[in-house]
Amino acid sequence: MHTSKYCLRTFFAVLFLAFSLQVKAQESSDLTLWYKQPAADVWTDALPIGNGRLGAMIYGNVEKELIQLNEHTVWSGGPNRNDNPDALASLPEVRRLIFEGKQKEAEQLAAKTIQSKKSHGQKFQPVGDLNIAFEGHSTFTDYRRELDISQAISKVSYVVDGVTYTREAIASFAENVIAIHLTASKPGKISFTASMATPQPNATVALNSEKELTISGTTTDHEGVEGKVKFKSLTKIKNQGGTLSSTDNSITVKNADEATIYIAIATNFNNYLDLSGDENGRAAAFMAKAATKSFDDLLKTNLVDYQKYFNRVSLNLGETEASKLPTDERIKGFKEGDDPQLVTLYYQYGRYLLISSSQPGGQPANLQGIWNKEMSPPWDSKYTININAQMNYWPAEKTNLAELHEPFLKMVSEMAEAGEETAKVMYGARGWMVHHNTDIWRITGPVDAIFWGIWSGGGAWTSQHLWDHFQYNGDMDYLKSIYPILKGAAMFYVDFLVEHPENKWLVVNPGTSPENAPAAHEGSSLDAGTTMDNQLVFDAFSAVIQASEMLGKDQAFADSLKAMRDRLPPMHIGKHGQLQEWLDDIDDPNDHHRHISHLYGLFPSNQISPLRTPELYSASKNTLIQRGDVSTGWSMGWKVNWWARMLDGNHAYKLIQNQLSPVGAKRGEGGGSYNNLFDAHPPFQIDGNFGCTSGITEMLVQSANGEIHLLPALPDVWQEGSITGIRAKGGFEIVELKWKDGKIEKAVIKSTIGGNLRLRVPNTLDLEKGKDLMKASGENPNPFYQVPVTADPIVSPAAQIDFPDLGETSVYDLKTEAGATYELKSKNL
């Protein structure tokens, strides 16, 4: 009897534990987005999955499920160029007009002679939809849908007539399929009809001899460019128990115990010049391999493939009761509430989205990552390279996803190939260049009206990503491979820069500060020697100068670049105490434009720093305050990074609060987040997600200013926390960083390539085993921490300069060996 009571108690204890865990799983957020209701027909409520090549939006609708599908190479048009050869002859006159202050006349001439007369870029387009109809499921209870970003799996569950139905969906990295698994709590209860649809006008939906639903088609023409991408989608269903039947355009499963839906999609795209692939053979091969595996097998493999990236970084900022609420409710309450774990979720969501939309060998994440339902999406979902595409990749190196940078770096190398002809034909220059926008066909001519399209800095900026990738990994073979691209980006400016007639500086003319225009120029964006142009040329030259030194080659060319770099205009501080956007002091302190391009020098570049250039710090702060915090979503993301570089964690956090607020503005009037945590321009642009993830990292770890700075911009609300796995330049990894009361308790740093570790910290630290650290002095001898000297600014007599209050920090030097790990602890522990 005693034994029976004991067993009974044990049984109920185990039952209670299981129930508690189930309840916790339902309530706990951890790294899960979850909701109490379906997405209905709201695309920005649906949840994204992807494997870098395939993307799917899962709506979670009960009776009529919708899964919207994308493939990374399904774009309108085909190989094409959009250069305007009339540009070269008109260039002297355009330059003369700008130098004479006749910017509007120059813009009108440039619109006729420089603006492209051909395609302004092609469109990223959807493949189609999978529709799944569940008859008799209109009345349901206990609904929940979720996206577990720690495991890259979407789930939907609900109860109908006492039966719990569950759907799980993944995008398999290894097998290149979308897989959806349907189960029920009782046998024989899985019944549904699946069908496919597509908005593509040159496509057909049918059932093939393998009893697979197919979409076969060719993408559309656009702006005179013939659609040449052929695509094939295959959908196969495997059921356990029950029956499977089909019509010409649907497959029906009746009374099965479970079922798995496999979706494979392929195109004929090989590269931006080659469409000779076999879309039918590719899709069939993907399906043949994947359909032999059970969903559990696919899930296990996918977990390993995904988590090898995702698990490299963890962040803990604390957790409150608010984290138990559904995600949409958390967004509504975040700004006024206390929910630090939502920041962690949003941070890791940015990493999830990059893993899901950018994989080696694939296309880079575009303006919407890889998720788009529109045949003509906003801005064509192209690659806007005057900020947006670059922002997508700001988290790549620092958040330990360097391999996922590869698609963007590959695009840069392809633009370098295509852009040689543009440089030569349009501007009579050597090297390569690209304007403010490109697409899968790597067009490098001007895109859109000349107001936007004349910007010439695409090559200078995107090539910095190659240099950045090298600075993080220190691979000299990689540097050798990218040196010609870096040199080509600089060479363009060697030929393109012209002497300013008044002050003899070398300037970009025609130039522009992206997407903005001063009232003094009658609304024209054109000018000579804009601040951003000067900063971009400075970086393009500096990268080649240092690369030349490290490789021991091209010394004469590097010396010529040094001489030209010295002749670039210094930055100017204007009468309002602002960093001037143009050479002339014509900024309007009431200008709240979303682009603050002249702060490129603050971030992502390192030409401006509170520690090294206090006057420029003051001017940058005034510019940020004058422009204001209210902005589009991606601009908010950039501002988080800027305020982090300003070492102002509280202001950076204020921008995170704005970012994690429900979107309520009209297009372009103010950002926020949609219910699925997608960034709102509005409309949706994914760059804000990536930008904010980068900014949160910059608040905790920076390595841009000749040192690694730990906790440089910690806000008051994050006084305790930890982060692991963050990478820094020079091959360093912050294995662990733990802090309390705003001070570092422990820092564990691994050196992968050796070299001097210079560390700036908010409190004094000891090396492991109580060894004293050496105080830093002089320039950092580590070549990866060389920082080119920023010229002293020209300051208006009317400007008020407010120098930064940097607080107390300690700076140490530690000689490291390749492969060694170093632990540092607070002296007070």
Side-chain angles (χ1 to χ4, degrees):
M1 192 69 180
H2 175 76
T3 305
S4 298
K5 285 182 179 179
Y6 176 79
C7 290
L8 200 60
R9 283 200 303 270
T10 303
F11 170 75
F12 280 116
V14 171
L15 191 66
F16 177 77
L17 178 61
F19 175 74
S20 299
L21 289 172
Q22 184 178 11
V23 169
K24 179 171 172 47
Q26 292 293 308
E27 293 181 348
S28 168
S29 57
D30 288 329
L31 294 175
T32 299
L33 290 71
W34 73 278
Y35 308 83
K36 292 180 178 179
Q37 67 285 330
D41 61 352
V42 181
W43 189 82
T44 49
D45 279 2
L47 296 172
I49 61 172
N51 65 5
R53 290 165 175 78
L54 303 180
M57 294 292 284
I58 314 295
Y59 282 68
N61 298 335
V62 174
E63 194 175 22
K64 294 182 178 179
E65 175 62 296
L66 171 60
I67 296 173
Q68 184 261 311
L69 301 165
N70 290 99
E71 198 275 349
H72 66 140
T73 60
V74 176
W75 286 69
S76 68
N80 72 98
R81 298 194 62 88
N82 70 328
D83 306 323
N84 187 343
D86 295 339
L88 188 56
S90 72
L91 198 55
E93 179 65 6
V94 170
R95 285 172 165 164
R96 182 187 68 80
L97 290 168
I98 290 173
F99 279 141
E100 290 179 1
K102 300 174 181 177
Q103 283 87 355
K104 198 64 182 178
E105 289 183 44
E107 183 175 313
Q108 291 166 350
L109 176 58
K112 297 175 183 176
T113 59
I114 297 177
Q115 184 172 316
S116 178
K117 302 298 187 285
K118 299 179 180 178
S119 167
H120 290 274
Q122 298 300 307
K123 301 183 287 189
F124 177 59
Q125 296 182 329
V127 173
D129 300 327
L130 170 66
N131 297 289
I132 316 173
F134 297 89
E135 191 174 345
H137 285 207
S138 58
T139 302
F140 55 89
T141 59
D142 301 326
Y143 179 89
R144 177 185 169 102
R145 68 185 174 100
E146 66 177 54
L147 175 65
D148 184 344
I149 63 171
S150 70
Q151 301 188 66
I153 183 169
S154 161
K155 296 181 182 179
V156 177
S157 64
Y158 57 90
V159 175
V160 173
D161 295 333
V163 178
T164 300
Y165 293 88
T166 304
R167 306 176 201 154
E168 299 169 292
I170 62 171
S172 170
F173 291 90
E175 308 303 338
N176 205 24
V177 295
I178 303 291
I180 302 136
H181 192 47
L182 310 172
T183 57
S185 60
K186 295 180 181 179
K189 291 295 184 178
I190 298 296
S191 298
F192 63 88
T193 296
S195 60
M196 301 295 290
T198 180
Q200 292 278 355
N202 305 320
T204 57
V205 178
L207 188 79
N208 67 13
S209 59
E210 302 294 322
K211 303 299 181 185
E212 297 166 333
L213 294 170
T214 69
I215 302 176
S216 305
T218 304
T219 57
T220 59
D221 305 346
H222 181 55
E223 293 186 337
V225 181
E226 182 183 353
K228 292 185 177 181
V229 177
K230 297 178 181 179
F231 59 93
K232 171 60 71 72
S233 171
L234 301 175
T235 300
K236 179 189 286 288
I237 301 176
K238 294 180 70 175
N239 57 304
Q240 290 188 19
T243 62
L244 187 148
S245 60
S246 58
T247 68
D248 289 344
N249 56 14
S250 68
I251 298 174
T252 298
V253 172
K254 286 282 190 182
N255 305 321
D257 298 330
E258 61 180 87
T260 303
I261 303 173
Y262 304 82
I263 304 169
I265 309 171
T267 75
N268 64 339
F269 183 95
N270 290 334
N271 60 55
Y272 76 106
L273 296 172
D274 181 1
L275 296 176
S276 63
D278 177 8
E279 73 282 5
N280 297 307
R282 287 172 174 173
F286 292 145
M287 182 61 78
K289 186 180 176 187
T292 62
K293 296 177 169 62
S294 69
F295 184 81
D296 283 346
D297 289 338
L298 292 175
L299 187 59
K300 288 174 186 174
T301 303
N302 213 53
L303 201 58
V304 173
D305 290 340
Y306 173 73
Q307 289 187 339
K308 76 178 181 184
Y309 297 119
F310 186 80
N311 287 355
R312 292 173 183 173
V313 169
S314 67
L315 174 64
N316 182 4
L317 298 172
E319 190 165 358
T320 63
E321 286 295 306
S323 65
K324 296 178 180 178
L325 295 171
T327 304
D328 50 340
E329 294 180 28
R330 296 174 73 183
I331 298 170
K332 290 175 185 175
F334 180 75
K335 198 165 189 178
E336 307 301 327
D338 180 17
D339 189 3
Q341 202 277 335
L342 185 60
V343 178
T344 298
L345 179 65
Y346 189 72
Y347 177 83
Q348 292 286 28
Y349 189 52
R351 297 182 69 247
Y352 166 83
L353 292 172
L354 189 59
I355 298 167
S356 303
S357 63
S358 181
Q359 285 288 312
Q363 293 299 308
N366 63 48
L367 211 52
Q368 295 185 192
I370 199 173
W371 300 279
N372 164 47
K373 69 174 179 129
E374 306 287 348
M375 287 294 289
S376 294
W379 303 283
D380 300 332
S381 276
K382 297 196 295 286
Y383 301 101
T384 307
I385 53 175
N386 64 16
I387 171 59
N388 311 94
Q390 290 92 326
M391 185 180 284
N392 285 0
Y393 286 88
W394 287 350
E397 301 294 333
K398 63 187 75 164
T399 75
N400 220 329
L401 299 174
E403 302 95 320
L404 310 189
H405 212 164
E406 188 271 344
F408 186 84
L409 304 179
K410 175 67 172 175
M411 182 173 77
V412 177
S413 71
E414 292 173 339
M415 290 191 301
E417 294 170 357
E420 284 189 14
E421 186 173 341
T422 304
K424 180 181 178 181
V425 168
M426 292 189 64
Y427 301 111
R430 295 167 295 172
W432 68 279
M433 64 84 65
V434 56
H435 294 83
H436 96 290
N437 212 296
T438 191
D439 60 14
I440 197 171
W441 311 115
R442 308 306 186 236
I443 57 170
T444 50
V447 169
D448 299 330
I450 208 67
F451 183 96
W452 299 274
I454 202 167
W455 186 71
S456 58
W461 193 346
T462 60
S463 65
Q464 288 302 303
H465 280 250
L466 302 174
W467 178 240
D468 210 38
H469 187 62
F470 164 69
Q471 287 185 301
Y472 274 87
N473 64 37
D475 184 341
M476 294 300 293
D477 288 336
Y478 177 74
L479 180 60
K480 290 176 187 175
S481 72
I482 65 168
Y483 180 75
I485 300 174
L486 299 177
K487 183 177 180 181
M491 183 68 80
F492 169 73
Y493 289 108
V494 169
D495 291 349
F496 189 64
L497 293 175
V498 291
E499 186 176 85
H500 196 287
E502 294 178 8
N503 43 47
K504 309 308 178 185
W505 289 319
L506 294 177
V507 295
V508 171
N509 183 9
T512 179
S513 192
E515 308 197 21
N516 200 9
H521 292 171
E522 299 179 295
S524 171
S525 69
L526 274 62
D527 203 8
T530 68
T531 299
M532 187 198 208
D533 279 341
N534 303 332
Q535 293 168 343
L536 285 169
V537 177
F538 184 93
D539 274 0
F541 285 180
S542 296
V544 176
I545 291 166
Q546 189 176 349
S548 167
E549 180 182 338
M550 297 179 81
L551 293 172
K553 64 184 293 184
D554 263 358
Q555 186 62 53
F557 181 64
D559 288 343
S560 71
L561 293 184
K562 288 179 185 177
M564 294 187 75
R565 186 176 65 179
D566 288 344
R567 294 185 62 195
L568 295 173
M571 284 181 260
H572 288 55
I573 298 175
K575 59 192 174 189
H576 304 293
Q578 86 285 9
L579 183 68
Q580 289 179 202
E581 189 163 2
W582 295 274
L583 276 185
D584 297 323
D585 193 355
I586 53 177
D587 298 87
D588 180 355
N590 294 312
D591 177 7
H592 302 305
H593 199 274
R594 63 194 178 278
H595 282 260
I596 318 178
S597 301
H598 50 308
L599 292 190
Y600 163 90
L602 174 63
F603 183 92
S605 187
N606 60 354
Q607 297 169 38
I608 301 170
S609 161
L611 297 160
R612 294 182 294 104
T613 62
E615 291 177 312
L616 290 170
Y617 154 87
S618 176
S620 299
K621 183 175 182 179
N622 284 330
T623 290
L624 283 169
I625 291 170
Q626 289 162 12
R627 286 293 175 94
D629 291 337
V630 176
S631 53
T632 57
W634 65 261
S635 183
M636 283 185 200
W638 202 350
K639 288 174 181 176
V640 176
N641 290 271
W642 279 324
W643 282 110
R645 285 286 176 89
M646 300 291 281
L647 309 182
D648 190 337
N650 287 333
H651 207 131
Y653 181 73
K654 184 181 177 185
L655 269 299
I656 294 172
Q657 288 180 300
N658 291 349
Q659 186 82 303
L660 279 170
S661 297
V663 59
K666 297 178 182 178
R667 173 170 171 161
E669 289 184 0
S673 293
Y674 293 105
N675 283 336
N676 64 0
L677 286 181
F678 271 170
D679 164 66
H681 182 282
F684 164 54
Q685 282 186 197
I686 203 167
D687 40 24
N689 289 98
F690 297 134
C692 201
T693 291
S694 168
I696 293 165
T697 310
E698 291 284 326
M699 294 165 75
L700 302 176
V701 179
Q702 295 178 19
S703 64
N705 287 296
E707 62 198 15
I708 297 176
H709 194 166
L710 301 182
L711 304 185
L714 192 70
D716 293 341
V717 293
W718 298 349
Q719 287 299 290
E720 184 173 352
S722 64
I723 192 166
T724 68
I726 295 302
R727 295 174 72 238
K729 292 180 179 180
F732 294 107
E733 181 177 327
I734 317 303
V735 177
E736 182 183 5
L737 175 61
K738 189 176 182 182
W739 67 92
K740 188 174 183 179
D741 298 326
K743 305 296 184 183
I744 295 171
E745 284 191 326
K746 181 170 74 168
V748 182
I749 301 175
K750 181 179 181 180
S751 175
T752 61
I753 61 175
N756 186 64
L757 167 61
R758 177 161 293 181
L759 206 58
R760 184 180 293 271
V761 292
N763 53 293
T764 55
L765 300 177
D766 274 335
L767 201 53
E768 53 194 330
K769 300 175 184 174
K771 296 178 184 176
D772 285 334
L773 283 163
M774 183 173 65
K775 294 283 186 179
S777 63
E779 291 295 314
N780 189 344
N782 191 321
F784 296 98
Y785 285 86
Q786 287 184 19
V787 180
V789 176
T790 302
D792 291 336
I794 293 177
V795 183
S796 166
Q800 180 178 331
I801 303 296
D802 297 314
F803 290 99
D805 179 9
L806 298 176
E808 292 294 321
T809 58
S810 298
V811 186
Y812 302 108
D813 274 347
L814 177 63
K815 293 179 180 178
T816 69
E817 296 180 3
T821 299
Y822 302 86
E823 184 172 323
L824 302 91
K825 291 187 176 181
S826 169
K827 281 199 171 188
N828 299 323
L829 288 180

